[in-house]
């Protein structure tokens, strides 16, 4: 096979496992992914690909920071690449999710959330039974708190701390989720932990500054 034909086939294979979404850094420093263009108030916007494990690797974890001009305090974040589930929304698009850690100067430990785009109709279900996270071969940890329609977490700080520690030495994590109003559980492709330690370290340093 000629090199040009090989490259063309590779491009098709990649495009079959990826599509572009908007990566928006909000004024409060949070990074979110969405299909719609970022709002005019966003600090930055970037078009990125959401990919499956069978496609090319996604971006690594990223650190972001937002300083409140009024109080001078900082909100510090470590955000994963976005990854899709096998759940299709009412618009026939695969739902995508990401993991985010958040700290402020008052935080002793980072707050952990799994998120889906607030601009989409992909809402997490009220029924959290069977949902959770698994880091590498560690024990499956159930989600116990629906923070909002687009965010899940844990009620136990001990569980939250344990999961973050596992992520610090892990290779990837997987999520099991349920979307409103359906009962079926959906597993994500593996979410890479590449760059997690660096992003988390910068987040912690940011929260102390």
């Amino acid at each position: 096979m000629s090199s040009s034909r090989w490259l063309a086939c590779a491009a098709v294979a990649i495009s079959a496992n990826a599509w572009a979404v908007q990566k928006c850094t909000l004024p409060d420093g949070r990074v979110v992914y969405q299909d719609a263009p970022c709002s005019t108030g966003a600090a930055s916007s970037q078009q990125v690909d959401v990919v499956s494990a069978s496609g090319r690797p996604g971006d690594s974890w990223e650190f972001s920071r937002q300083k409140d001009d009024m109080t001078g305090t900082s909100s510090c974040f470590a955000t994963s690449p976005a990854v899709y589930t096998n759940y299709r929304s009412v618009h026939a698009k695969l739902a995508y999710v990401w993991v985010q850690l958040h700290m402020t100067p008052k935080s002793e430990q980072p707050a952990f959330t799994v998120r889906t785009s607030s601009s989409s109709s992909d809402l997490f279900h009220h029924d959290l039974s069977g949902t959770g996270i698994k880091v590498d071969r560690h024990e499956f940890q159930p989600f116990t708190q629906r923070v909002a329609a687009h965010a899940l977490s844990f009620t136990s700080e001990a569980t939250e701390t344990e999961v973050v520690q596992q992520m610090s030495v892990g290779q990837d994590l997987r999520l099991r989720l349920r979307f409103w109003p359906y009962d079926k559980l959906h597993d994500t492709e593996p979410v890479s932990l590449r760059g997690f330690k660096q992003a988390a370290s910068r987040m912690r340093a940011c929260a102390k500054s």
Side-chain angles (χ1 to χ4, degrees):
M1 181 183 292
S2 68
S3 59
S4 59
R5 181 172 175 77
W6 183 90
L7 289 171
C9 291
V12 170
I14 289 173
S15 64
N17 292 286
W19 70 93
V21 298
Q22 299 300 318
K23 179 180 179 181
C24 311
T25 302
L26 304 184
D28 63 4
R30 287 181 297 124
V31 175
V32 300
Y33 299 88
Q34 59 189 48
D35 294 312
C38 301
S39 67
T40 55
S44 67
S45 63
Q46 178 186 2
Q47 183 171 286
V48 298
D49 287 338
V50 181
V51 299
S52 73
S54 57
R56 64 176 176 76
D59 294 333
S60 63
W61 283 68
E62 291 189 3
F63 160 78
S64 60
R65 171 181 181 170
Q66 177 65 29
K67 190 170 184 177
D68 189 318
D69 292 335
M70 294 289 287
T71 65
T73 58
S74 295
S75 293
C76 312
F77 303 89
T79 305
S80 79
V83 65
Y84 68 70
T85 70
N86 59 359
Y87 166 72
R88 289 190 180 275
S89 68
V90 293
H91 303 295
K93 292 185 177 181
L94 290 169
Y96 55 91
V97 297
W98 65 95
V99 178
Q100 190 168 71
L101 302 186
H102 172 216
M103 291 189 76
T104 67
K106 296 182 179 180
S107 305
E108 294 184 3
Q109 295 294 333
F112 173 103
T113 52
V114 174
R115 296 182 173 271
T116 186
S117 174
S118 58
S119 68
S120 75
S121 59
D122 305 325
L123 312 180
F124 290 126
H125 206 290
H126 293 275
D127 180 7
L128 300 183
S129 61
T131 66
I133 181 174
K134 185 176 179 65
V135 181
D136 289 344
R137 296 187 178 182
H138 292 285
E139 183 179 351
F140 180 80
Q141 296 286 1
F143 292 127
T144 53
Q145 183 177 22
R146 185 177 184 262
V147 181
H150 297 278
L152 300 180
S153 189
F154 307 102
T155 52
S156 167
E157 290 186 7
T159 300
E160 198 169 45
T161 299
E162 181 180 358
V163 168
V164 173
Q165 289 175 343
Q166 292 172 358
M167 291 165 62
S168 297
V169 295
Q171 297 297 314
D172 58 54
L173 61 85
R174 289 177 292 158
L175 304 166
R176 178 163 289 174
L177 305 166
R178 179 182 287 112
F179 295 89
W180 178 262
Y182 306 105
D183 294 330
K184 184 178 179 180
L185 291 166
H186 298 272
D187 293 348
T188 66
E189 298 285 356
V191 179
S192 172
L193 288 166
R194 181 163 56 94
F196 172 77
K197 287 182 67 174
Q198 294 87 340
S201 177
R202 293 183 66 187
M203 174 192 66
R204 292 179 186 276
C206 163
K208 293 178 180 179
S209 62

